[in-house]
Amino acid sequence: MKKRLIGGIVAAAILIPTAAYAAPTLIEMLTRTPMTAEQVKVDEVGKAALEKLYHAFPETKSFEIIEASSVQGVQTSIILQEKGGTGKKITLHTNAVTGAIEHVIQENWEPKEKPLTALTDQEIKSKTDVLIDKLYGSIKQYEFAMEQMENPDQKTFMLNYSKKGSKTPFYQVFVQGNTISASLIGGETAPSTIQVEGFFSRDGKPDYFADDFLNDAKLFSLLKISPTELKQELAKGKSVVEVASSKQVSKQQVIDVIAKTQVDGQIQGEKNGDVPPGNRSIEQMLKAIEPKVLQVIEHKNETPSKK
């Protein structure tokens, strides 16, 4: 099993408290706007996320919203903590298009004298099972795998919950210290749609945020290029927009193709029951996802390959 975060959904969470969970990602360059507690409670996405949290963990109704922000059309993030500022904390990162809570971070829910990583493997799994089961639903249909990460700085465990036959986990969880960091990956059953990994790199490491967007058969057809060839062009320091321009394809054409694929996938996921149904029209969904697509296709590798 590969010891890395998988997919753009994980990378979309940018308020993760420790670098052990994720390297810097493309979404970090999007404009994040602070929100007040009052704004969160009347915001459509924020309000729905809070209602889901309160239903799953009633005790959080007494928690204070200590921080909140949004990336318009992409993500709403909320951090709540027990009153007093030293107790339990929980962070939610919610997809602004689908309304799905894509990432949740649960901190300090265990006694300091016996943190999560001091528990047995079975006890750790039991804690993550409860978090997923309460926030997302039954995990009985998922296969499970757990391993300790190669992290010399701090003991870290990775837990994957996958559907039978899937190459990608549906839920991926990291446990470190007294923190559980769980992500809704939504892995598809084989064959995987991922043809090439790591189209972009950051600090010498693959940045997997863009992979979900760029592994698009219709995009490759539009550009008349193979996945491997596109990766090679991007490794030279070009953006997808520049590659498209060299082939007489406009930026808007690229946006339209990728956005449609993403929205079609969301609609199919709703039909299959894999993701919660939204209440936006197709036109609204397409418009909402454009900033995210634009960020990917205009991005360039920091250090062009000299190969």
Side-chain angles (χ1 to χ4, degrees):
M1 186 175 296
K2 297 177 182 177
K3 296 177 175 63
R4 65 162 176 82
L5 291 176
I6 300 175
I9 294 178
V10 179
I14 71 170
L15 296 180
I16 299 174
T18 170
Y21 293 129
T25 58
L26 291 175
I27 197 172
E28 293 181 353
M29 293 181 289
L30 295 174
T31 302
R32 182 165 287 276
T33 304
M35 299 174 69
T36 64
E38 290 70 27
Q39 289 174 322
V40 171
K41 292 174 182 177
V42 297
D43 175 73
E44 181 181 343
V45 177
K47 182 179 179 181
L50 287 177
E51 288 177 351
K52 189 167 186 177
L53 174 66
Y54 295 156
H55 178 74
F57 299 96
E59 65 185 292
T60 59
K61 292 179 181 180
S62 64
F63 285 21
E64 296 178 307
I65 296 175
I66 62 171
E67 187 176 335
S69 60
S70 68
V71 175
Q72 186 175 8
V74 178
Q75 183 188 83
T76 295
S77 299
I78 311 168
I79 303 178
L80 302 93
Q81 189 171 40
E82 276 187 317
K83 292 181 179 180
T86 58
K88 298 178 181 179
K89 182 188 291 187
I90 192 161
T91 301
L92 306 175
H93 297 289
T94 304
N95 188 302
V97 179
T98 67
I101 297 175
E102 295 178 328
H103 194 80
V104 57
I105 305 169
Q106 194 180 59
E107 301 175 72
N108 303 324
W109 285 54
E110 298 299 316
K112 289 184 178 180
E113 57 271 17
K114 193 174 182 181
L116 288 160
T117 48
L119 303 178
T120 66
D121 288 1
Q122 186 56 46
E123 287 173 327
I124 291 174
K125 179 182 183 300
S126 177
K127 299 294 183 181
T128 63
D129 284 355
V130 169
L131 177 61
I132 294 174
D133 190 75
K134 285 191 174 184
L135 204 55
Y136 296 104
S138 176
I139 59 171
K140 292 181 180 179
Q141 63 177 307
Y142 298 101
E143 298 177 336
F144 172 80
M146 177 179 179
E147 63 179 308
Q148 186 170 345
M149 299 285 286
E150 296 172 358
N151 180 9
D153 299 320
Q154 192 169 7
K155 192 175 183 180
T156 304
F157 295 95
M158 180 175 71
L159 300 85
N160 286 318
Y161 295 78
S162 306
K163 289 185 176 180
K164 188 175 182 179
S166 176
K167 293 184 178 180
T168 306
F170 201 89
Y171 302 108
Q172 187 172 68
V173 185
F174 285 79
V175 176
Q176 184 182 75
N178 221 351
T179 298
I180 298 176
S181 177
S183 297
L184 169 64
I185 305 295
E188 299 294 333
T189 53
S192 173
T193 57
I194 299 297
Q195 300 180 50
V196 169
E197 295 183 334
F199 278 101
F200 293 117
S201 62
R202 182 178 293 277
D203 298 327
K205 299 178 181 179
D207 184 343
Y208 295 97
F209 175 70
D211 288 356
D212 183 53
F213 289 86
L214 299 183
N215 277 291
D216 186 330
K218 292 180 180 178
L219 173 65
F220 302 140
S221 177
L222 175 68
L223 299 180
K224 295 181 175 58
I225 196 171
S226 72
T228 301
E229 289 171 335
L230 177 58
K231 182 176 179 178
Q232 290 171 345
E233 289 299 303
L234 298 179
K236 298 175 183 177
K238 297 179 182 179
S239 67
V240 175
V241 171
E242 290 174 337
V243 174
S245 178
S246 71
K247 296 177 176 295
Q248 288 73 55
V249 175
S250 71
K251 179 193 296 186
Q252 192 59 51
Q253 284 177 289
V254 174
I255 292 173
D256 291 345
V257 164
I258 297 176
K260 186 176 187 305
T261 296
Q262 293 294 315
V263 170
D264 286 348
Q266 168 63 25
I267 292 173
Q268 187 59 51
E270 291 178 3
K271 289 180 179 178
N272 295 341
D274 293 333
V275 294
N279 57 1
R280 298 188 179 190
S281 67
I282 293 177
E283 289 73 19
Q284 289 174 320
M285 292 171 71
L286 288 169
K287 184 177 180 180
I289 204 169
E290 277 198 13
K292 208 170 183 179
V293 175
L294 190 62
Q295 196 65 37
V296 170
I297 66 175
E298 290 188 333
H299 181 67
K300 296 182 181 181
N301 276 307
E302 290 182 338
T303 306
S305 172
K306 295 182 179 181
K307 293 182 180 181

